[in-house]
Amino acid sequence: MKIIKPTFVIESPIDGNQILQQIERAGRTAYKSEDKITPTSALTFAKMITQSGHFSVIEHYSVTVRVICDRGVSHEIVRHRLASYTQESTRYCNYTKGKFDAEIAVIAPCFWDAGDERYTVWKQAMAQCEQAYQQLIALGATPQEARSVLPNSLKTEMVMTMNLREWRVFFTMRTAAAAHPQMREIAQPLLREFRQRIPIIFDDITY
Ligand SMILES: Cc1cc2nc3c(=O)[nH]c(=O)nc-3n(C[C@H](O)[C@H](O)[C@H](O)COP(=O)(O)OP(=O)(O)OC[C@H]3O[C@@H](n4cnc5c(N)ncnc54)[C@H](O)[C@@H]3O)c2cc1C
């Protein structure tokens, strides 16, 4: 059994200035004010758009992110409906095969340290799930049958694509104090990376 940390990779090529210019070109169609476009006007325009809540304009750009998290967190992520997803399938992946090193991978809970007794109980439970899964496969069960004993902590990998408006919804809800700690563990650094790479659009989201 592998115990790993959650991770993400932004897979879209991102040029923040180019994105703002694209948004400005789209947005200025509304006012037919394309003549006001200058080498620096996209920043000011993006500020105006976010401050006025004219968010339909930022729907013109989408970003794809690959996320590795547990199945509990992925189940919450896919509740965001204005998005496209492709996710590792527990129906088709057979974790007893060599390409998985014949073991399951689970995501370490961020709220318990390895020395904590609760972590020990969790780790034992994960090992029992893995053992039951391997036994079921050895007894002729298919992966889609044997997955019944796989835990919420099972590692999953998903590719998700959202437009910038939906990313704002996602970050606002999933970085907040009310969100699950393992969701925040991904959403907060992801938001920081979005902010570094795309000016203005996400700056007002507080968490
Ligand atoms: C802290 C927290 C706790 C939660 N707890 C639970 C829980 O206990 N049980 C549970 O089932 N879910 C729970 N959820 C999930 C939550 O109810 C939403 O399903 C999820 O956050 C997706 O958000 P959303 O539906 O607003 O937006 P998205 O699906 O991301 O859509 C974005 C926005 O588009 C609009 N939109 C999308 N679809 C429609 C539509 N059909 N009609 C009108 N407008 C639409 C809305 O404005 C929406 O906010 C929780 C979420 C959070 C953040």
Side-chain angles (χ1 to χ4, degrees), residues 23-207:
I23 288 167
E24 182 186 23
R25 270 197 309 279
R28 286 199 182 276
T29 306
Y31 317 105
K32 290 313 289 169
S33 61
E34 294 91 337
D35 56 310
K36 296 214 168 95
I37 294 176
T38 70
T40 56
S41 59
L43 270 182
T44 318
F45 190 83
K47 264 186 206 148
M48 186 274 284
I49 288 295
T50 46
Q51 280 165 10
S52 63
H54 190 9
F55 290 123
S56 64
V57 178
I58 66 169
E59 291 170 16
H60 291 296
Y61 197 88
S62 295
V63 175
T64 299
V65 177
R66 182 176 295 270
V67 176
I68 292 183
C69 60
D70 77 11
R71 298 274 310 184
V73 170
S74 76
H75 188 76
E76 294 187 10
I77 290 176
V78 299
R79 292 296 300 277
H80 291 278
R81 291 162 285 180
L82 308 182
S84 304
Y85 301 102
T86 305
Q87 182 169 11
E88 175 179 340
S89 169
T90 50
R91 291 189 64 203
Y92 305 127
C93 293
N94 180 342
Y95 299 113
T96 66
K97 295 286 185 198
K99 67 178 168 183
F100 300 104
D101 299 327
E103 60 185 350
I104 65 168
V106 291
I107 301 289
C110 57
F111 33 80
W112 297 321
D113 293 329
D116 192 312
E117 200 179 340
R118 290 167 293 188
Y119 181 91
T120 307
V121 171
W122 168 81
K123 196 173 163 187
Q124 281 166 356
M126 295 305 104
Q128 283 163 5
C129 290
E130 180 180 60
Q131 199 185 14
Y133 180 84
Q134 288 167 340
Q135 275 176 350
L136 286 168
I137 296 284
L139 289 168
T142 59
Q144 69 177 355
E145 293 166 350
R147 77 171 183 182
S148 304
V149 296
L150 291 174
N152 241 10
S153 294
L154 186 75
K155 166 258 172 186
T156 191
E157 187 164 336
M158 61 195 295
V159 178
M160 54 192 286
T161 303
M162 292 178 175
N163 67 46
L164 298 188
R165 184 183 200 168
E166 183 68 349
W167 277 116
R168 277 184 57 90
V169 171
F170 176 82
F171 286 131
T172 302
M173 300 183 91
R174 301 305 183 174
T175 61
H180 190 279
Q182 287 177 291
M183 178 63 85
R184 298 181 92 202
E185 190 184 14
I186 290 167
Q188 289 182 339
L190 186 56
L191 172 57
R192 283 195 285 275
E193 196 164 329
F194 266 62
R195 274 185 179 155
Q196 276 167 13
R197 297 171 67 171
I198 308 172
I200 310 290
I201 303 295
F202 301 97
D203 288 358
D204 61 318
I205 299 172
T206 52
Y207 60 91

